Amino acid sequence: MAASGQDALLRVEHLSMRFGGLTAIGDLSFTAARNDITAIIGPNGAGKTTVFNCLTGFYKPTEGSVILTHEDGKQFLLERMDDFRISQQAKVARTFQNIRLFAGMTVLENLMVAQHNTLMRASGFTVTGIFNSPTYARANREAIEFSEHWLEKAGLVDRADDAAGELPYGDQRRLEIARAMCTKPVLLCLDEPAAGLNPRESEDLNGLLLNIRNEQKIAILLIEHDMSVVMGISDHIVVLDYGVKISDGSPAEIRSDPAVIRAYLGVEDEEEAEVVVERAVAAVAKKPAGKKVAAKKPPARKKGGRK
Amino acid sequence: MAAAPKSNDVKTEARPLEAAAIAKDVLFTAILAFIILGPILGLKTFAISGSLALEQRWGLVAVFAAIAAAGRLAYHLLVWQKPQARPSKAASASFLPAISFGKYLVPVVLILAIALPFLPGVDRRVVDLAILILTYIMLGWGLNIVVGLAGLLDLGYVAFYAVGAYAYALLATIYLPAWFGDGIVPWAFFITLPIAGILAALWGVILGFPVLRLRGDYLAIVTLAFGEIVRVILINWSDFTGGPAGIGGIPRPSFFGLPFTDGEGGFAAFFGLDFKPIHRIIFLYYVILVLALLTNFVTMRLRRLPVGRAWEALREDEIACRSLGINTTSTKLTAFAIGAMFAGFAGSFFATRQGFVSPESFVFLESFIILAVVVLGGLGSQIGVVIAAIVIIGAFEVFRELNFLKAVMPAGFDPVQYRMLAVGAALVLIMRWKPRGFVTRREPSVVLKEKKAISTDLVAEGHG
Ligand SMILES: Nc1ncnc2c1ncn2[C@@H]1O[C@H](COP(=O)(O)OP(=O)(O)OP(=O)(O)O)[C@@H](O)[C@H]1O
Ligand SMILES: [Mg+2]
């Protein structure tokens, strides 16, 4: 159900990113619809994180454009905006592959920092806030309530006053998502949120992401190696390999060959996966399910289509 | 022992090295020391009738090698087993002093500070020392915003102190009287104070711009250079700043228009008191106390505002900050500006207290002492700055008092000469014993249910 034309929330057009001689992304185009979970998958080094970095302004793409359209019709050319303005104005929030929390601050403080811009305005850019003006006091209370709301959703209320760095890994992942949501985004970009989670935590994460899409009506862009997450919740999948899009479609299309289902949901062995993938209509990530932490050995790659 | 030793952690396990191993290690230390010290101490060149000759002093080298070996032995016997006693990160959090400790400490210290000039046995010297310590506390609190909260290492902080001092000196001696007549002079301090703060803040922004993209060591070097540039300008721009001779005759503060002079119209006459020079000292004491408390109040308040939280978030992770829509440029600039503003206030206080300013007062050593106060106190901790300022400035003063040492030590021994050495050694020891400073807990700026102190082991030190 790839959103077509003008209705798309995000349109990536002919995006290229080169680092010296290395083409991390080559002429990539895809769209993400409103209220959809769009997954970007591909083997290690395919350029998925680089796509996120281009979308969120951390890299300036070599070529191409990234257009975000708000519901009211307002358009943002993300490739031309500063990273912090993309979050502030275009309302794109993200998480990081290697979690970036404010480890020495409490869980609640992490979420309050995410509401910086709202609170900054309410505090009269500090001038009236320093005298605890009623406007600021109210905004502060509301911000705490909003944080609490997201803490409940992420199942972290009991840890609200603990340092973020003390949380177990799975909690840190969910806290980072909650923190991103506290910026009140229209598009949430998640870089491998299920990495390192156990199956139960992974299940909880699915619930959280579906809740974000269904109840909050927020689109999600998801990078993930865990096929149970990808196939379970995404509406639309883009497959990258060596920075080039090799497939794009609904999960049903991506796994139209029943063997692909087996490959991504059950096959433990990389060799077998490779055989399966060769037979697949579209090649997708080469990481067998259940092996979630990024493996150091080179991933299995499909034959052909290599430079 | 129930716990199985971790594979690469064997050395820190509770297994004292056997005597033979210790002996071997000590011998090795002695040999190493002998080799290293040999060329340095063992061979001495001296001039003899126009050419160089070599004097050999192997006995001396042996003495020093023996000292090194003895130190190594003492280390084995006294320190080596200690690491196993070191608590883990999680455990150390529970050893932190309860927050309620601060609840009683702060009011007690505050009452003591307010009552200090009237306590029995407190004479002019003590009040003078208290003023000096309070000045460093205020500077420490100001620098704490930049280094402790925002995590931006600033080695040139004294430049803003200088800007504040010269702003007051120039305005009070030349410009204010020229513009508004001599009647303004008794009020000069109160008029100039905000101006000095604003000027220093402006310089904070001027410094901030070029260093925005720098991190860590590079930031430290540029701020260090900035501090020196300001001092060199003060020395060389003689027409404006008075050059190396500085500016003298700076008006002393008045009690809101009443000068501290003997006779008609003075402070003592107005309140029907006997004239005493100490009145002015006590007044200065309260001025710096109020200024320091203002600095503390504002900082504590800012920490609970979005700007303060953004500073701390910046220290923790700049990239995450930007992903959350925080303008890190303006966040850094406000940290520099507000930190500098307090140094500006302190600078004008310094000028009015001394009655004289010169570039001599704003050397790198001052920046260093202020930074030491912040680091030793525990980055970001307000009460830590108080403790550290008392310890460091107090230690300097104690050395002035050690005259009895002169009687014991050989002639020509002056303890004051050794104070930097002793304070430096003390700093090294304290940092070895408490690497995160005296206060190793961070108080959260906002609480949902229960306030818990955060161990600073988790807190980032900032990277520029
Ligand atoms: N800043 C950079 N400078 C140089 N090369 C880079 C940079 N960032 C990414 N690359 C390269 O671009 C390619 C794509 O990297 P990217 O991190 O986007 O992969 P990925 O798909 O996210 O992989 P993974 O699944 O391992 O996270 C890699 O070859 C990487 O080395
Ligand atoms: Mg990646």
Side-chain angles (χ1 to χ4, degrees):
Chain A
M1 78 163 108
S4 55
Q6 300 304 307
D7 186 45
L9 170 67
L10 180 78
R11 271 186 294 140
V12 174
E13 290 175 354
H14 304 291
L15 184 73
S16 294
M17 183 76 219
R18 282 189 282 278
F19 299 107
L22 178 95
T23 304
I25 312 174
D27 198 29
L28 172 70
S29 302
F30 70 92
T31 57
R34 267 173 239 293
N35 299 338
D36 262 9
I37 296 181
T38 305
I40 301 178
I41 60 177
N44 292 127
K48 305 178 297 292
T49 301
T50 307
V51 171
F52 269 24
N53 282 334
C54 289
L55 293 187
T56 51
F58 285 93
Y59 293 160
K60 290 282 159 255
T62 324
E63 277 164 36
S65 60
V66 183
I67 302 147
L68 185 96
T69 316
H70 280 186
E71 214 146 18
D72 59 10
K74 209 164 170 203
Q75 283 205 332
F76 296 89
L77 300 176
L78 300 187
E79 80 280 2
R80 300 192 189 163
M81 293 171 71
D82 285 334
D83 42 19
F84 72 92
R85 293 224 164 77
I86 289 178
S87 166
Q88 203 179 62
Q89 292 159 14
K91 295 280 166 205
V92 178
R94 73 172 288 181
T95 65
F96 296 86
Q97 189 166 353
N98 45 347
I99 308 175
R100 284 183 174 275
L101 289 171
F102 306 123
M105 303 173 83
T106 67
V107 169
L108 179 61
E109 282 179 308
N110 270 269
L111 301 191
M112 296 294 280
V113 171
Q115 300 173 62
H116 176 82
N117 290 309
T118 319
L119 287 172
M120 202 67 181
R121 246 170 284 120
S123 74
F125 295 90
T126 309
V127 178
T128 55
I130 206 156
F131 303 106
N132 206 7
S133 67
T135 326
Y136 175 67
R138 184 161 12 90
N140 195 47
R141 233 176 7 253
E142 282 166 8
I144 294 176
E145 276 161 24
F146 190 67
S147 307
E148 206 179 346
H149 169 76
W150 274 104
L151 286 176
E152 268 160 22
K153 282 203 181 299
L156 291 169
V157 190
D158 295 338
R159 310 296 312 256
D161 296 316
D162 289 321
E166 276 177 351
L167 298 187
Y169 191 78
D171 288 357
Q172 295 201 3
R173 282 264 175 226
R174 267 176 294 131
L175 174 58
E176 208 191 10
I177 296 174
R179 187 180 68 179
M181 287 309 298
C182 280
T183 63
K184 302 187 177 137
V186 298
L187 175 65
L188 177 65
C189 302
L190 304 174
D191 199 342
E192 302 199 19
L197 300 190
N198 64 38
R200 244 208 53 219
E201 289 175 320
S202 186
E203 194 62 31
D204 290 348
L205 180 77
N206 280 5
L208 180 63
L209 297 190
L210 286 173
N211 179 283
I212 289 173
R213 183 194 61 182
N214 298 341
E215 282 181 25
Q216 317 288 325
K217 306 284 178 225
I218 287 163
I220 296 177
L221 212 54
L222 175 73
I223 294 178
E224 192 47 71
H225 284 301
D226 184 338
M227 286 304 132
S228 68
V229 176
V230 172
M231 292 300 169
I233 63 172
S234 41
D235 304 298
H236 169 203
I237 300 177
V238 176
V239 189
L240 287 187
D241 198 6
Y242 281 111
V244 179
K245 184 167 87 174
I246 55 172
S247 184
D248 185 343
S250 68
E253 284 163 6
I254 295 293
R255 61 184 177 188
S256 55
D257 188 335
V260 182
I261 306 171
R262 248 189 310 133
Y264 299 112
L265 300 183
V267 179
E268 295 290 337
D269 178 62
E270 285 200 2
E271 297 259 13
E272 202 183 334
E274 196 171 3
V275 175
V276 171
V277 167
E278 277 199 66
R279 286 170 40 207
V281 177
V284 259
K286 309 309 186 289
K287 264 193 178 174
K291 192 170 130 220
K292 287 153 198 156
V293 183
K296 278 293 146 219
K297 63 175 129 162
R301 298 226 178 234
K302 80 171 180 355
K303 288 180 189 143
R306 293 276 133 271
K307 277 159 235 166
Chain B
M1 291 268 307
K6 285 196 193 100
S7 56
N8 55 355
D9 235 31
V10 181
K11 255 186 201 149
T12 58
E13 281 297 308
R15 188 163 57 87
L17 293 176
E18 318 79 48
I22 292 180
K24 209 169 126 191
D25 186 66
V26 168
L27 188 68
F28 179 71
T29 306
I31 294 171
L32 199 67
F34 201 92
I35 294 171
I36 293 174
L37 296 173
I40 304 171
L41 290 174
L43 302 171
K44 187 186 178 196
T45 56
F46 59 94
I48 182 167
S49 59
S51 67
L52 275 181
L54 211 54
E55 184 194 337
Q56 303 197 10
R57 303 188 294 184
W58 299 111
L60 188 70
V61 178
V63 169
F64 274 88
I67 291 174
R72 186 75 186 168
L73 184 65
Y75 182 72
H76 274 301
L77 299 180
L78 303 175
V79 187
W80 197 242
Q81 293 122 306
K82 288 273 170 66
Q84 50 123 356
R86 188 179 291 168
S88 72
K89 264 186 189 180
S92 71
S94 61
F95 285 132
L96 300 171
I99 284 190
S100 60
F101 170 66
K103 232 190 247 168
Y104 298 108
L105 184 71
V106 169
V108 168
V109 171
L110 201 62
I111 290 170
L112 259 176
I114 291 170
L116 181 91
F118 304 107
L119 294 181
V122 171
D123 56 5
R124 185 189 160 136
R125 248 171 15 103
V126 176
V127 180
D128 261 332
L129 177 60
I131 291 175
L132 190 67
I133 290 177
L134 274 172
T135 312
Y136 278 99
I137 290 177
M138 179 171 177
L139 288 167
W141 277 339
L143 185 61
N144 212 359
I145 293 175
V146 184
V147 180
L149 295 185
L152 302 162
L153 185 53
D154 183 352
L155 294 181
Y157 191 64
V158 78
F160 309 121
Y161 190 40
V163 168
Y166 271 81
Y168 174 66
L170 289 169
L171 282 168
T173 54
I174 302 172
Y175 295 102
L176 285 180
W179 293 335
F180 305 105
D182 281 340
I184 197 97
V185 170
W187 293 97
F189 178 68
F190 299 99
I191 295 171
T192 317
L193 195 65
I195 301 177
I198 291 167
L199 282 176
L202 206 68
W203 278 89
V205 174
I206 291 173
L207 165 67
F209 263 112
V211 303
L212 276 173
R213 293 186 179 282
L214 303 179
R215 333 178 109 249
D217 309 347
Y218 304 97
L219 178 70
I221 291 169
V222 174
T223 53
L224 176 72
F226 179 81
E228 286 303 290
I229 288 170
V230 168
R231 192 174 63 88
V232 170
I233 290 176
L234 292 179
I235 293 176
N236 289 301
W237 195 4
S238 310
D239 301 341
F240 185 60
T241 64
I247 301 169
I250 300 170
R252 296 319 192 92
S254 64
F255 185 83
F256 305 103
L258 295 174
F260 288 95
T261 48
D262 203 354
E264 273 305 287
F267 168 80
F270 186 86
F271 287 98
L273 301 169
D274 293 333
F275 172 75
K276 278 195 204 127
I278 198 171
H279 288 159
R280 196 183 71 218
I281 310 292
I282 292 177
F283 177 67
L284 280 172
Y285 174 79
Y286 282 115
V287 169
I288 187 68
L289 185 64
V290 167
L291 285 175
L293 289 178
L294 179 80
T295 310
N296 181 45
F297 170 78
V298 171
T299 311
M300 300 294 276
R301 189 75 203 119
L302 287 174
R303 272 199 70 210
R304 286 170 172 71
L305 288 174
V307 66
R309 269 191 224 118
W311 289 338
E312 291 201 79
L314 191 67
R315 176 194 64 204
E316 298 286 321
D317 193 324
E318 185 173 344
I319 289 178
C321 274
R322 283 191 268 139
S323 83
L324 297 173
I326 294 176
N327 183 344
T328 49
T329 304
S330 61
T331 306
K332 283 184 189 177
L333 286 181
T334 47
F336 272 121
I338 294 179
M341 181 180 77
F342 289 121
F345 291 155
S348 7
F349 174 80
F350 173 81
T352 192
R353 175 170 104 103
Q354 299 285 320
F356 167 75
V357 292
S358 81
E360 283 290 287
S361 309
F362 308 106
V363 291
F364 171 67
L365 181 64
E366 292 296 318
S367 285
F368 164 76
I369 292 175
I370 304 165
L371 187 67
V373 164
V374 174
V375 173
L376 205 61
L379 284 177
S381 164
Q382 296 293 93
I383 195 81
V385 164
V386 177
I387 300 171
I390 294 173
V391 168
I392 294 182
I393 309 303
F396 277 137
E397 289 311 304
V398 163
F399 265 85
R400 289 192 206 285
E401 313 292 321
L402 293 181
N403 283 325
F404 70 90
L405 278 179
K406 278 188 191 164
V408 194
M409 299 296 279
F413 175 83
D414 181 3
V416 178
Q417 305 267 308
Y418 289 83
R419 59 185 199 158
M420 285 313 289
L421 188 67
V423 170
L427 284 181
V428 170
L429 286 179
I430 293 171
M431 291 328 273
R432 169 74 182 75
W433 161 63
K434 270 195 159 302
R436 303 300 299 246
F438 289 134
V439 179
T440 51
R441 63 191 171 78
R442 176 185 168 270
E443 276 196 37
S445 66
V446 58
V447 174
L448 191 65
K449 293 197 175 78
E450 177 199 358
K451 190 170 185 177
K452 296 178 195 163
I454 296 168
S455 160
T456 42
D457 286 342
L458 293 166
V459 176
E461 282 152 14
H463 17 247

